[in-house]
Amino acid sequence: MQKHLKIDTSQKVTPLGDLYGIFFEDLNHAADGGLYAELVQNRSFEFDPIDNKAYHGLTAWEKLEKKGAKVTLEVEDKAPINSRNPHYLTVTAKAIGDGAGFMNLGFNTGIPLEKAKIYQFSCYSKTETAVEKPVVIKLTGAEGQVLAEGSLQPENNGWRKYECTLTATATDYSGRLVIEMQETGKYYFDMISLFPADVYKGRKNGLRADIAELLADCKPKFMRFPGGCLVHDGSLDSEDRDSLYRWKNTLGPVEERPSRRNNWGYNQTLGLGYFEYFQFCEDIGAKPLPVLPGGYDPHHQRMVPIEELGPWIQEALDLIEFANGDKETEWGKIRAELGHEEPFHLEYLGIGNEEIGEPFFERYTYFHKAIREKYPDIKLINSSGPFAAGKEYERGWTSARENGSDLVDEHYYQSPEWFLANYHRYDTFKAEDPKVFLGEYASWGNTYYNALAEAAFMTGLEKNAHAVGLACYAPLLCNTDYVNWRPDMIWFNNHEVFGTANYYVQKLFMTNQGDYLLKTTGENFAESVTAEENRPLSGKLIISAAVNTEVNCREIIFEDMTTGEIKKAQGAALKEGEQLELFDTKLSHYRLKFIGEKKSGTRGFEISFGYENRENRAIWELGGWQNQDCLVSSMVKGRGSCLTQSFFVVENNREYQLELEVKGRKIKTYIDGVLMNETEDKLPILKELYYTASVDNNGDYIVKMVNVKENPITFTLTLEGQEKTDLRGSRYMMSGYGLDDMNSFEEPKKISPVQEAVVLSNGTGEITLPGHSIVVLRLSKDDR
Ligand code: AHR
């Protein structure tokens, strides 16, 4: 029977709204040393061990003492340029010799300099006593060869800002910014900055053009910012060096923005701040989606007392006024003074990042009520924790329903197999519930296989646009020399950037989103086929102690749940790295029971079951990261997927009755008789064809199709209602790659769509999708 994909062009099923966007998260040096174009690292001498144990005030700076020179560098704080920027550099040039001064090493291999490109230098400086000879500013290559030179004449009557423009005479990606004295004396410097003149859209305090352009090319409907964990991990006092991310700290002249610890182990200058984020959103046509802390740090259990929440809620209201208020309002005026009289048209606001725990949800309600009352049109986003299912996830959804949140932020990082197995995840979500904001998701990896699985999953998001409002892949950016997290969508060093296979899928879906979903029917496609037989979770059972932890287990009982037969095993005391191998079972319905006790350490137990090897197993984890989880995960080829999670703290020297029941692929866990987890480790289902279709407001028809299988598939495609029309347009195809293939600096577009012209005569035609391919057709009635 002929396979037929029919798209009913007369039925606009669901508006697709702002479905696909991006998430800018400041980790992996995505801001400083990344999108933010500043080339000097530690420009204001504020680096501190609070940011990173290896940091100090002179991180990334070195002294220059050529033959006969004598120089000392000290970071001081007695007379700063302002109180928010407390440290500065004191340079004592005791002898000049062949060259006396200091230099900045930049990020990565150094300061990237390109022949004929212009660089904007600026700094604050002064001297203790008058000097006659100017200070020389040089851009040099790695070997010290001078590629550009300028000068400044500091004075001894207080801090002053100096600027000069430098043009590089050669290319060197390991350059240095060198500042040389020509006369002995005491010199002071602060906010030493170097920007390429060529920044994105020529903005002041601007963004690196090559990275910004890759983002702009996606035409995202929205941009979530600035994180991630950095939003809610930190001190509650906005004046503290390690404070939570507080937006008001990020406004105004860069020299007045305080330095902050980024919880990913580095320093944030806040040079890329809220004004710049809003401006960038506007520049790329993305709706801004800021996320504010909810007065709670789930990583350290810090919380603002309810009666002191007022200023935090006011901060959220002020942000809305900053973005949308007219220039007569207090915060609208500040925006206008910063150079943007027109509002930024804020529509979405997130409170909290992947929150776990009652204290957050207690506080969310106060934020929600106050914002709703004053700004009823703002779409408020609640949070459902870092996992795809479980009690904490449900708690987020319950809170969203009770409060009437517009959206719920879901986060999950899983194996590609999980994404294929969960293609139907949102089929049962209800249109009348808050909408899903899939604020962070990715399959573990940047191979073509990952991108293929994500593309298939995304057709599932799109066909469920009644329930899924917004979705963005995460993380977005990664500097190859400062990796906190992988995979990432875009990789860069100090002068090159490339999009991964995942990037090209995201871009393909974003640039071809469509405005309305069309009714689409597949006829005679094979029923979904399971990738493997529906095999039970049998295999070895192993108890082990988690990292840094010592546990005891005893009274171990294994029960065949079909026959009632019982086996016993000897208990053991286990340290990190030790494991107790118990049974190797072929049963499909069994129960393991034991008494477990944590003796010491920071985490708890790991119980592996369905164990084939370390890379392929299921795990019941008690304690987990931060000792706050009881979760079940599934590991496929070394890539884990958390199937469900509940909040649980394992106490020291307390006995727990632990029980695991497995039936087929269904799993239940109990602690002291209380059901903690209930889940199913679903096997991937491979559909013969994943598809979705939409129409945009210009009348373009968009058909997305994904073949995750090895063999090609041929079928007829008909756009019903267009039988008398020749539809013309483009076919974008990703195919012909190995599943393990990846893009790289050397081959940045190895995996990227190939565009070809297509004609669908009389609205119909035969389509062949090669094995492992992603195809998007964009068709219009005229020859646009
Ligand atoms: O994207 C990496 C991290 O994953 C984010 O900071 C956090 O929100 C999630 O746990």
Side-chain angles (χ1 to χ4, degrees), residues 23 25 27 224 227-230 232 263-264 299 353-354 386 411 413 440 474-476 485 488:
F23 166 37
E25 173 177 15
L27 91 168
R224 174 182 171 217
C229 290
L230 89 161
H232 67 178
N263 76 305
W264 291 99
H299 297 173
N353 169 62
E354 60 174 45
H411 295 178
Y413 298 91
E440 289 184 29
L476 186 65
W485 185 286
D488 301 287

Side-chain angles (χ1 to χ4, degrees), residues 501-561:
N502 321 62
Y503 167 85
Y504 284 103
V505 164
Q506 291 293 325
K507 181 179 166 193
L508 200 54
F509 276 59
M510 274 188 252
T511 49
N512 294 292
Q513 183 191 288
D515 291 302
Y516 292 90
L517 192 68
L518 293 173
K519 184 163 173 267
T520 308
T521 319
E523 284 179 1
N524 302 321
F525 286 96
E527 284 299 299
S528 301
V529 182
T530 39
E532 327 165 48
E533 288 301 300
N534 199 9
R535 60 181 164 84
L537 269 170
S538 49
K540 286 186 197 163
L541 281 143
I542 298 169
I543 303 177
S544 50
V547 182
N548 283 326
T549 309
E550 283 183 55
V551 299
N552 277 347
C553 44
R554 59 186 182 83
E555 294 180 32
I556 302 168
I557 295 173
F558 177 76
E559 190 179 345
D560 178 338
M561 296 293 280

